[in-house]
Every structure is written in structure tokens, then in C-alpha cells.
Amino acid sequence: MIALKITNIRQFMGKLLGSEDFDFFLLEEASISTYNTFRIDGHQNREFYTSEEWEDEAIRPYDFSAWKTMRPICFDLIKGRRTPSAFRFVLHLIPSHVDSILQKGDTAVSTEQVKAFVLNIKYDGTGLTLVTGTAFHTFVMDKTPDVLWDQAVRRFLSLKSIAYEEL
């Protein structure tokens, strides 16, 4: 787990909300505080779908909503003349990308053992931080997946020219 301070918040927000750069993530949850506090539960709602739709992976491939579908909603809540007082997003890397992260290192941890590679994005009115995390289905002694995820996030930020400082 690493914590990174984003040094150019405006640029980062442009990439997060105004581009496809983060579209390979799923939204677990969001909280956006402007004139109200809006909370979004990214879990897909079982009651909304028919039984056939719920089981159809082409319609509902993940338990969480795709960031690319939630991004415009979050953008609409944030846009305006005034900066939000706070926001927080919890994003999960799309599961099909987990194996490519694990293959970059020497680990016995399998893709099936990794529940999620998580990226927490938090703005508190003064600064924006990213905190990485790894969730497993069972206890795992090997910390290599954590290190690989941290390295992947650093590479991603560098590739997208997003400036940060390690905390």
C-alpha cells in the first residue's frame, strides 16, 4: 500500500472525469460533497434486472458499475464554478487486468486469490491523495501482489503525465 499526493489537482481531475484514462476501473463507491453530499453505491442493483439479465455477463459482467458509465454522473455532480468541499472514490481494477499485473513479478498468488486491486481517491478540500490497496479472498502471506500493484499505479501515473509525490 502506498499513499501518493497529486501535485496538479486540476490536471488529475481532467483525466479522471474528462477522459477515458481511468475507464478500466469499476466504481465501488463515491461520495461527493458540494451543496449536498451525494453518495453512490457502485454495487449493481439486483432488483433492477430481470433474472436473465442478472445472469447474462454481456449485460452485467461485474458486480460493480463500470467507471466509464459512472464518470459522467460524477462529473455532473462536481462541475461548476465552486470546488467541491470533499470527495472520495473507491475504484477497483477490472478483474481481467489483474493477471497482467501479477505476471510482472515472481509470485505464487493466482488471479483467483485476488479479490481486487483498489485505488482510493480522496480530496479533503486542501489536497488530493491516492492510496492503493489489495484485497484477497483468503489470507495470503505473499506481499508481492501489493508491490506489483503499487508499481503499476506509479507507472500508470507516469504514463499519463500525472505528477505526484510519495507520502
PDB file of all heavy atoms in Angstrom, residues 100-134:
ATOM      1  N   SER A 100      -2.456  -9.549 -15.726  1.00  0.00           N
ATOM      2  CA  SER A 100      -1.320  -8.856 -16.343  1.00  0.00           C
ATOM      3  C   SER A 100      -0.451  -8.174 -15.285  1.00  0.00           C
ATOM      4  O   SER A 100       0.763  -8.053 -15.465  1.00  0.00           O
ATOM      5  CB  SER A 100      -1.798  -7.843 -17.384  1.00  0.00           C
ATOM      6  OG  SER A 100      -2.535  -6.809 -16.771  1.00  0.00           O
ATOM      7  N   ILE A 101      -1.034  -7.753 -14.170  1.00  0.00           N
ATOM      8  CA  ILE A 101      -0.255  -7.170 -13.070  1.00  0.00           C
ATOM      9  C   ILE A 101       0.554  -8.271 -12.389  1.00  0.00           C
ATOM     10  O   ILE A 101       1.755  -8.119 -12.151  1.00  0.00           O
ATOM     11  CB  ILE A 101      -1.171  -6.477 -12.028  1.00  0.00           C
ATOM     12  CG1 ILE A 101      -2.030  -5.385 -12.666  1.00  0.00           C
ATOM     13  CG2 ILE A 101      -0.368  -5.958 -10.845  1.00  0.00           C
ATOM     14  CD1 ILE A 101      -1.310  -4.161 -13.119  1.00  0.00           C
ATOM     15  N   LEU A 102      -0.083  -9.396 -12.097  1.00  0.00           N
ATOM     16  CA  LEU A 102       0.596 -10.491 -11.397  1.00  0.00           C
ATOM     17  C   LEU A 102       1.728 -11.093 -12.227  1.00  0.00           C
ATOM     18  O   LEU A 102       2.730 -11.545 -11.673  1.00  0.00           O
ATOM     19  CB  LEU A 102      -0.409 -11.578 -11.011  1.00  0.00           C
ATOM     20  CG  LEU A 102      -1.457 -11.193  -9.969  1.00  0.00           C
ATOM     21  CD1 LEU A 102      -2.429 -12.350  -9.746  1.00  0.00           C
ATOM     22  CD2 LEU A 102      -0.807 -10.763  -8.662  1.00  0.00           C
ATOM     23  N   GLN A 103       1.597 -11.092 -13.535  1.00  0.00           N
ATOM     24  CA  GLN A 103       2.615 -11.674 -14.397  1.00  0.00           C
ATOM     25  C   GLN A 103       3.916 -10.885 -14.407  1.00  0.00           C
ATOM     26  O   GLN A 103       4.945 -11.389 -14.829  1.00  0.00           O
ATOM     27  CB  GLN A 103       2.092 -11.802 -15.828  1.00  0.00           C
ATOM     28  CG  GLN A 103       1.065 -12.892 -15.994  1.00  0.00           C
ATOM     29  CD  GLN A 103       0.539 -12.976 -17.418  1.00  0.00           C
ATOM     30  OE1 GLN A 103       0.953 -12.238 -18.289  1.00  0.00           O
ATOM     31  NE2 GLN A 103      -0.386 -13.896 -17.633  1.00  0.00           N
ATOM     32  N   LYS A 104       3.890  -9.665 -13.920  1.00  0.00           N
ATOM     33  CA  LYS A 104       5.078  -8.822 -13.927  1.00  0.00           C
ATOM     34  C   LYS A 104       6.034  -9.145 -12.776  1.00  0.00           C
ATOM     35  O   LYS A 104       7.096  -8.555 -12.665  1.00  0.00           O
ATOM     36  CB  LYS A 104       4.690  -7.348 -13.894  1.00  0.00           C
ATOM     37  CG  LYS A 104       4.000  -6.901 -15.166  1.00  0.00           C
ATOM     38  CD  LYS A 104       3.790  -5.427 -15.192  1.00  0.00           C
ATOM     39  CE  LYS A 104       3.121  -4.860 -16.400  1.00  0.00           C
ATOM     40  NZ  LYS A 104       2.755  -5.640 -17.495  1.00  0.00           N
ATOM     41  N   GLY A 105       5.654 -10.069 -11.914  1.00  0.00           N
ATOM     42  CA  GLY A 105       6.504 -10.406 -10.775  1.00  0.00           C
ATOM     43  C   GLY A 105       6.535 -11.887 -10.501  1.00  0.00           C
ATOM     44  O   GLY A 105       5.817 -12.674 -11.112  1.00  0.00           O
ATOM     45  N   ASP A 106       7.373 -12.255  -9.562  1.00  0.00           N
ATOM     46  CA  ASP A 106       7.535 -13.648  -9.172  1.00  0.00           C
ATOM     47  C   ASP A 106       6.662 -13.907  -7.949  1.00  0.00           C
ATOM     48  O   ASP A 106       7.063 -13.635  -6.820  1.00  0.00           O
ATOM     49  CB  ASP A 106       9.007 -13.932  -8.871  1.00  0.00           C
ATOM     50  CG  ASP A 106       9.259 -15.390  -8.536  1.00  0.00           C
ATOM     51  OD1 ASP A 106       8.453 -16.251  -8.970  1.00  0.00           O
ATOM     52  OD2 ASP A 106      10.244 -15.671  -7.836  1.00  0.00           O
ATOM     53  N   THR A 107       5.460 -14.387  -8.196  1.00  0.00           N
ATOM     54  CA  THR A 107       4.535 -14.650  -7.099  1.00  0.00           C
ATOM     55  C   THR A 107       3.755 -15.937  -7.374  1.00  0.00           C
ATOM     56  O   THR A 107       3.457 -16.265  -8.518  1.00  0.00           O
ATOM     57  CB  THR A 107       3.545 -13.476  -6.890  1.00  0.00           C
ATOM     58  OG1 THR A 107       2.689 -13.804  -5.803  1.00  0.00           O
ATOM     59  CG2 THR A 107       2.725 -13.188  -8.121  1.00  0.00           C
ATOM     60  N   ALA A 108       3.457 -16.636  -6.299  1.00  0.00           N
ATOM     61  CA  ALA A 108       2.635 -17.846  -6.397  1.00  0.00           C
ATOM     62  C   ALA A 108       1.154 -17.515  -6.246  1.00  0.00           C
ATOM     63  O   ALA A 108       0.306 -18.395  -6.376  1.00  0.00           O
ATOM     64  CB  ALA A 108       3.061 -18.844  -5.329  1.00  0.00           C
ATOM     65  N   VAL A 109       0.837 -16.255  -5.976  1.00  0.00           N
ATOM     66  CA  VAL A 109      -0.555 -15.833  -5.823  1.00  0.00           C
ATOM     67  C   VAL A 109      -1.229 -15.872  -7.194  1.00  0.00           C
ATOM     68  O   VAL A 109      -0.708 -15.347  -8.175  1.00  0.00           O
ATOM     69  CB  VAL A 109      -0.644 -14.419  -5.216  1.00  0.00           C
ATOM     70  CG1 VAL A 109      -2.084 -13.937  -5.176  1.00  0.00           C
ATOM     71  CG2 VAL A 109      -0.032 -14.396  -3.827  1.00  0.00           C
ATOM     72  N   SER A 110      -2.389 -16.511  -7.253  1.00  0.00           N
ATOM     73  CA  SER A 110      -3.113 -16.635  -8.519  1.00  0.00           C
ATOM     74  C   SER A 110      -4.151 -15.516  -8.656  1.00  0.00           C
ATOM     75  O   SER A 110      -4.546 -14.887  -7.670  1.00  0.00           O
ATOM     76  CB  SER A 110      -3.818 -17.987  -8.600  1.00  0.00           C
ATOM     77  OG  SER A 110      -4.879 -18.037  -7.669  1.00  0.00           O
ATOM     78  N   THR A 111      -4.586 -15.329  -9.862  1.00  0.00           N
ATOM     79  CA  THR A 111      -5.618 -14.330 -10.152  1.00  0.00           C
ATOM     80  C   THR A 111      -6.877 -14.594  -9.327  1.00  0.00           C
ATOM     81  O   THR A 111      -7.521 -13.659  -8.851  1.00  0.00           O
ATOM     82  CB  THR A 111      -5.952 -14.355 -11.660  1.00  0.00           C
ATOM     83  OG1 THR A 111      -4.754 -14.128 -12.382  1.00  0.00           O
ATOM     84  CG2 THR A 111      -6.963 -13.300 -12.026  1.00  0.00           C
ATOM     85  N   GLU A 112      -7.219 -15.863  -9.141  1.00  0.00           N
ATOM     86  CA  GLU A 112      -8.427 -16.233  -8.397  1.00  0.00           C
ATOM     87  C   GLU A 112      -8.340 -15.846  -6.923  1.00  0.00           C
ATOM     88  O   GLU A 112      -9.364 -15.692  -6.263  1.00  0.00           O
ATOM     89  CB  GLU A 112      -8.697 -17.738  -8.518  1.00  0.00           C
ATOM     90  CG  GLU A 112      -9.075 -18.194  -9.915  1.00  0.00           C
ATOM     91  CD  GLU A 112      -7.881 -18.269 -10.881  1.00  0.00           C
ATOM     92  OE1 GLU A 112      -6.725 -18.469 -10.420  1.00  0.00           O
ATOM     93  OE2 GLU A 112      -8.108 -18.113 -12.085  1.00  0.00           O
ATOM     94  N   GLN A 113      -7.129 -15.706  -6.385  1.00  0.00           N
ATOM     95  CA  GLN A 113      -6.965 -15.342  -4.986  1.00  0.00           C
ATOM     96  C   GLN A 113      -7.137 -13.833  -4.760  1.00  0.00           C
ATOM     97  O   GLN A 113      -7.411 -13.408  -3.643  1.00  0.00           O
ATOM     98  CB  GLN A 113      -5.586 -15.777  -4.476  1.00  0.00           C
ATOM     99  CG  GLN A 113      -5.442 -17.284  -4.362  1.00  0.00           C
ATOM    100  CD  GLN A 113      -4.022 -17.656  -3.997  1.00  0.00           C
ATOM    101  OE1 GLN A 113      -3.128 -17.569  -4.818  1.00  0.00           O
ATOM    102  NE2 GLN A 113      -3.836 -18.054  -2.748  1.00  0.00           N
ATOM    103  N   VAL A 114      -6.961 -13.049  -5.808  1.00  0.00           N
ATOM    104  CA  VAL A 114      -7.055 -11.596  -5.682  1.00  0.00           C
ATOM    105  C   VAL A 114      -8.507 -11.175  -5.855  1.00  0.00           C
ATOM    106  O   VAL A 114      -9.101 -11.381  -6.905  1.00  0.00           O
ATOM    107  CB  VAL A 114      -6.159 -10.884  -6.721  1.00  0.00           C
ATOM    108  CG1 VAL A 114      -6.327  -9.373  -6.622  1.00  0.00           C
ATOM    109  CG2 VAL A 114      -4.706 -11.280  -6.539  1.00  0.00           C
ATOM    110  N   LYS A 115      -9.043 -10.585  -4.823  1.00  0.00           N
ATOM    111  CA  LYS A 115     -10.416 -10.073  -4.903  1.00  0.00           C
ATOM    112  C   LYS A 115     -10.439  -8.758  -5.672  1.00  0.00           C
ATOM    113  O   LYS A 115     -11.314  -8.533  -6.493  1.00  0.00           O
ATOM    114  CB  LYS A 115     -10.987  -9.887  -3.504  1.00  0.00           C
ATOM    115  CG  LYS A 115     -12.432  -9.487  -3.472  1.00  0.00           C
ATOM    116  CD  LYS A 115     -12.963  -9.491  -2.057  1.00  0.00           C
ATOM    117  CE  LYS A 115     -14.446  -9.184  -2.055  1.00  0.00           C
ATOM    118  NZ  LYS A 115     -14.996  -9.244  -0.701  1.00  0.00           N
ATOM    119  N   ALA A 116      -9.448  -7.877  -5.395  1.00  0.00           N
ATOM    120  CA  ALA A 116      -9.421  -6.584  -6.097  1.00  0.00           C
ATOM    121  C   ALA A 116      -8.100  -5.871  -5.878  1.00  0.00           C
ATOM    122  O   ALA A 116      -7.509  -5.960  -4.803  1.00  0.00           O
ATOM    123  CB  ALA A 116     -10.554  -5.696  -5.614  1.00  0.00           C
ATOM    124  N   PHE A 117      -7.678  -5.169  -6.911  1.00  0.00           N
ATOM    125  CA  PHE A 117      -6.654  -4.138  -6.788  1.00  0.00           C
ATOM    126  C   PHE A 117      -7.440  -2.836  -6.699  1.00  0.00           C
ATOM    127  O   PHE A 117      -8.213  -2.502  -7.593  1.00  0.00           O
ATOM    128  CB  PHE A 117      -5.719  -4.123  -7.999  1.00  0.00           C
ATOM    129  CG  PHE A 117      -4.707  -5.237  -8.001  1.00  0.00           C
ATOM    130  CD1 PHE A 117      -4.487  -5.988  -9.139  1.00  0.00           C
ATOM    131  CD2 PHE A 117      -3.936  -5.523  -6.877  1.00  0.00           C
ATOM    132  CE1 PHE A 117      -3.546  -6.996  -9.163  1.00  0.00           C
ATOM    133  CE2 PHE A 117      -2.986  -6.542  -6.883  1.00  0.00           C
ATOM    134  CZ  PHE A 117      -2.793  -7.271  -8.028  1.00  0.00           C
ATOM    135  N   VAL A 118      -7.243  -2.111  -5.597  1.00  0.00           N
ATOM    136  CA  VAL A 118      -8.086  -0.962  -5.274  1.00  0.00           C
ATOM    137  C   VAL A 118      -7.286   0.332  -5.354  1.00  0.00           C
ATOM    138  O   VAL A 118      -6.112   0.374  -4.981  1.00  0.00           O
ATOM    139  CB  VAL A 118      -8.682  -1.126  -3.848  1.00  0.00           C
ATOM    140  CG1 VAL A 118      -9.572   0.039  -3.481  1.00  0.00           C
ATOM    141  CG2 VAL A 118      -9.429  -2.446  -3.735  1.00  0.00           C
ATOM    142  N   LEU A 119      -7.959   1.378  -5.844  1.00  0.00           N
ATOM    143  CA  LEU A 119      -7.392   2.723  -5.861  1.00  0.00           C
ATOM    144  C   LEU A 119      -8.386   3.643  -5.159  1.00  0.00           C
ATOM    145  O   LEU A 119      -9.510   3.833  -5.627  1.00  0.00           O
ATOM    146  CB  LEU A 119      -7.145   3.192  -7.296  1.00  0.00           C
ATOM    147  CG  LEU A 119      -6.458   4.542  -7.454  1.00  0.00           C
ATOM    148  CD1 LEU A 119      -5.062   4.521  -6.828  1.00  0.00           C
ATOM    149  CD2 LEU A 119      -6.367   4.913  -8.929  1.00  0.00           C
ATOM    150  N   ASN A 120      -7.975   4.175  -4.003  1.00  0.00           N
ATOM    151  CA  ASN A 120      -8.787   5.121  -3.246  1.00  0.00           C
ATOM    152  C   ASN A 120      -8.345   6.531  -3.618  1.00  0.00           C
ATOM    153  O   ASN A 120      -7.158   6.852  -3.525  1.00  0.00           O
ATOM    154  CB  ASN A 120      -8.588   4.911  -1.742  1.00  0.00           C
ATOM    155  CG  ASN A 120      -9.136   3.591  -1.279  1.00  0.00           C
ATOM    156  OD1 ASN A 120     -10.335   3.421  -1.175  1.00  0.00           O
ATOM    157  ND2 ASN A 120      -8.253   2.644  -1.014  1.00  0.00           N
ATOM    158  N   ILE A 121      -9.289   7.360  -4.019  1.00  0.00           N
ATOM    159  CA  ILE A 121      -9.013   8.742  -4.412  1.00  0.00           C
ATOM    160  C   ILE A 121      -9.760   9.633  -3.428  1.00  0.00           C
ATOM    161  O   ILE A 121     -10.983   9.516  -3.286  1.00  0.00           O
ATOM    162  CB  ILE A 121      -9.490   9.010  -5.851  1.00  0.00           C
ATOM    163  CG1 ILE A 121      -8.804   8.049  -6.823  1.00  0.00           C
ATOM    164  CG2 ILE A 121      -9.255  10.464  -6.233  1.00  0.00           C
ATOM    165  CD1 ILE A 121      -9.412   8.044  -8.218  1.00  0.00           C
ATOM    166  N   LYS A 122      -9.020  10.509  -2.744  1.00  0.00           N
ATOM    167  CA  LYS A 122      -9.654  11.320  -1.709  1.00  0.00           C
ATOM    168  C   LYS A 122      -9.199  12.774  -1.820  1.00  0.00           C
ATOM    169  O   LYS A 122      -8.011  13.062  -1.855  1.00  0.00           O
ATOM    170  CB  LYS A 122      -9.305  10.783  -0.321  1.00  0.00           C
ATOM    171  CG  LYS A 122      -9.969  11.551   0.802  1.00  0.00           C
ATOM    172  CD  LYS A 122      -9.605  10.968   2.147  1.00  0.00           C
ATOM    173  CE  LYS A 122     -10.254  11.781   3.252  1.00  0.00           C
ATOM    174  NZ  LYS A 122      -9.838  11.334   4.567  1.00  0.00           N
ATOM    175  N   TYR A 123     -10.191  13.661  -1.850  1.00  0.00           N
ATOM    176  CA  TYR A 123      -9.950  15.100  -1.826  1.00  0.00           C
ATOM    177  C   TYR A 123     -10.614  15.643  -0.568  1.00  0.00           C
ATOM    178  O   TYR A 123     -11.793  15.382  -0.324  1.00  0.00           O
ATOM    179  CB  TYR A 123     -10.547  15.771  -3.072  1.00  0.00           C
ATOM    180  CG  TYR A 123     -10.431  17.266  -3.069  1.00  0.00           C
ATOM    181  CD1 TYR A 123      -9.209  17.882  -3.284  1.00  0.00           C
ATOM    182  CD2 TYR A 123     -11.544  18.067  -2.831  1.00  0.00           C
ATOM    183  CE1 TYR A 123      -9.100  19.271  -3.265  1.00  0.00           C
ATOM    184  CE2 TYR A 123     -11.446  19.440  -2.820  1.00  0.00           C
ATOM    185  CZ  TYR A 123     -10.214  20.039  -3.039  1.00  0.00           C
ATOM    186  OH  TYR A 123     -10.105  21.412  -3.020  1.00  0.00           O
ATOM    187  N   ASP A 124      -9.855  16.393   0.241  1.00  0.00           N
ATOM    188  CA  ASP A 124     -10.384  16.880   1.513  1.00  0.00           C
ATOM    189  C   ASP A 124     -10.555  18.392   1.562  1.00  0.00           C
ATOM    190  O   ASP A 124     -10.725  18.966   2.632  1.00  0.00           O
ATOM    191  CB  ASP A 124      -9.493  16.420   2.665  1.00  0.00           C
ATOM    192  CG  ASP A 124      -8.090  17.008   2.601  1.00  0.00           C
ATOM    193  OD1 ASP A 124      -7.795  17.824   1.698  1.00  0.00           O
ATOM    194  OD2 ASP A 124      -7.262  16.634   3.467  1.00  0.00           O
ATOM    195  N   GLY A 125     -10.518  19.042   0.413  1.00  0.00           N
ATOM    196  CA  GLY A 125     -10.639  20.487   0.374  1.00  0.00           C
ATOM    197  C   GLY A 125      -9.294  21.184   0.291  1.00  0.00           C
ATOM    198  O   GLY A 125      -9.218  22.352  -0.081  1.00  0.00           O
ATOM    199  N   THR A 126      -8.240  20.474   0.664  1.00  0.00           N
ATOM    200  CA  THR A 126      -6.897  21.064   0.609  1.00  0.00           C
ATOM    201  C   THR A 126      -5.956  20.294  -0.307  1.00  0.00           C
ATOM    202  O   THR A 126      -5.044  20.872  -0.881  1.00  0.00           O
ATOM    203  CB  THR A 126      -6.258  21.129   2.014  1.00  0.00           C
ATOM    204  OG1 THR A 126      -6.138  19.796   2.536  1.00  0.00           O
ATOM    205  CG2 THR A 126      -7.104  21.973   2.953  1.00  0.00           C
ATOM    206  N   GLY A 127      -6.139  19.012  -0.426  1.00  0.00           N
ATOM    207  CA  GLY A 127      -5.249  18.201  -1.248  1.00  0.00           C
ATOM    208  C   GLY A 127      -5.921  16.930  -1.705  1.00  0.00           C
ATOM    209  O   GLY A 127      -6.969  16.528  -1.178  1.00  0.00           O
ATOM    210  N   LEU A 128      -5.323  16.301  -2.706  1.00  0.00           N
ATOM    211  CA  LEU A 128      -5.865  15.072  -3.275  1.00  0.00           C
ATOM    212  C   LEU A 128      -4.833  13.969  -3.120  1.00  0.00           C
ATOM    213  O   LEU A 128      -3.669  14.135  -3.500  1.00  0.00           O
ATOM    214  CB  LEU A 128      -6.198  15.286  -4.752  1.00  0.00           C
ATOM    215  CG  LEU A 128      -7.062  14.212  -5.393  1.00  0.00           C
ATOM    216  CD1 LEU A 128      -7.938  14.827  -6.473  1.00  0.00           C
ATOM    217  CD2 LEU A 128      -6.224  13.114  -5.999  1.00  0.00           C
ATOM    218  N   THR A 129      -5.250  12.857  -2.537  1.00  0.00           N
ATOM    219  CA  THR A 129      -4.354  11.720  -2.345  1.00  0.00           C
ATOM    220  C   THR A 129      -4.930  10.471  -2.988  1.00  0.00           C
ATOM    221  O   THR A 129      -6.151  10.300  -3.083  1.00  0.00           O
ATOM    222  CB  THR A 129      -4.088  11.439  -0.845  1.00  0.00           C
ATOM    223  OG1 THR A 129      -5.337  11.205  -0.190  1.00  0.00           O
ATOM    224  CG2 THR A 129      -3.349  12.570  -0.175  1.00  0.00           C
ATOM    225  N   LEU A 130      -4.024   9.620  -3.416  1.00  0.00           N
ATOM    226  CA  LEU A 130      -4.355   8.291  -3.912  1.00  0.00           C
ATOM    227  C   LEU A 130      -3.737   7.283  -2.953  1.00  0.00           C
ATOM    228  O   LEU A 130      -2.575   7.442  -2.563  1.00  0.00           O
ATOM    229  CB  LEU A 130      -3.763   8.045  -5.305  1.00  0.00           C
ATOM    230  CG  LEU A 130      -4.055   9.054  -6.412  1.00  0.00           C
ATOM    231  CD1 LEU A 130      -3.376   8.611  -7.700  1.00  0.00           C
ATOM    232  CD2 LEU A 130      -5.537   9.204  -6.618  1.00  0.00           C
ATOM    233  N   VAL A 131      -4.499   6.282  -2.583  1.00  0.00           N
ATOM    234  CA  VAL A 131      -3.991   5.222  -1.727  1.00  0.00           C
ATOM    235  C   VAL A 131      -4.327   3.906  -2.406  1.00  0.00           C
ATOM    236  O   VAL A 131      -5.474   3.665  -2.783  1.00  0.00           O
ATOM    237  CB  VAL A 131      -4.602   5.271  -0.305  1.00  0.00           C
ATOM    238  CG1 VAL A 131      -4.097   4.112   0.545  1.00  0.00           C
ATOM    239  CG2 VAL A 131      -4.295   6.599   0.368  1.00  0.00           C
ATOM    240  N   THR A 132      -3.307   3.075  -2.582  1.00  0.00           N
ATOM    241  CA  THR A 132      -3.517   1.775  -3.211  1.00  0.00           C
ATOM    242  C   THR A 132      -3.867   0.742  -2.151  1.00  0.00           C
ATOM    243  O   THR A 132      -3.560   0.916  -0.968  1.00  0.00           O
ATOM    244  CB  THR A 132      -2.249   1.308  -3.957  1.00  0.00           C
ATOM    245  OG1 THR A 132      -1.186   1.159  -3.005  1.00  0.00           O
ATOM    246  CG2 THR A 132      -1.846   2.281  -5.046  1.00  0.00           C
ATOM    247  N   GLY A 133      -4.478  -0.326  -2.588  1.00  0.00           N
ATOM    248  CA  GLY A 133      -4.791  -1.424  -1.688  1.00  0.00           C
ATOM    249  C   GLY A 133      -5.030  -2.692  -2.481  1.00  0.00           C
ATOM    250  O   GLY A 133      -5.335  -2.638  -3.678  1.00  0.00           O
ATOM    251  N   THR A 134      -4.862  -3.808  -1.814  1.00  0.00           N
ATOM    252  CA  THR A 134      -5.105  -5.103  -2.428  1.00  0.00           C
ATOM    253  C   THR A 134      -6.013  -5.903  -1.503  1.00  0.00           C
ATOM    254  O   THR A 134      -5.746  -5.977  -0.302  1.00  0.00           O
ATOM    255  CB  THR A 134      -3.787  -5.876  -2.658  1.00  0.00           C
ATOM    256  OG1 THR A 134      -2.883  -5.044  -3.390  1.00  0.00           O
ATOM    257  CG2 THR A 134      -4.019  -7.157  -3.432  1.00  0.00           C
TER     258      THR A 134
END
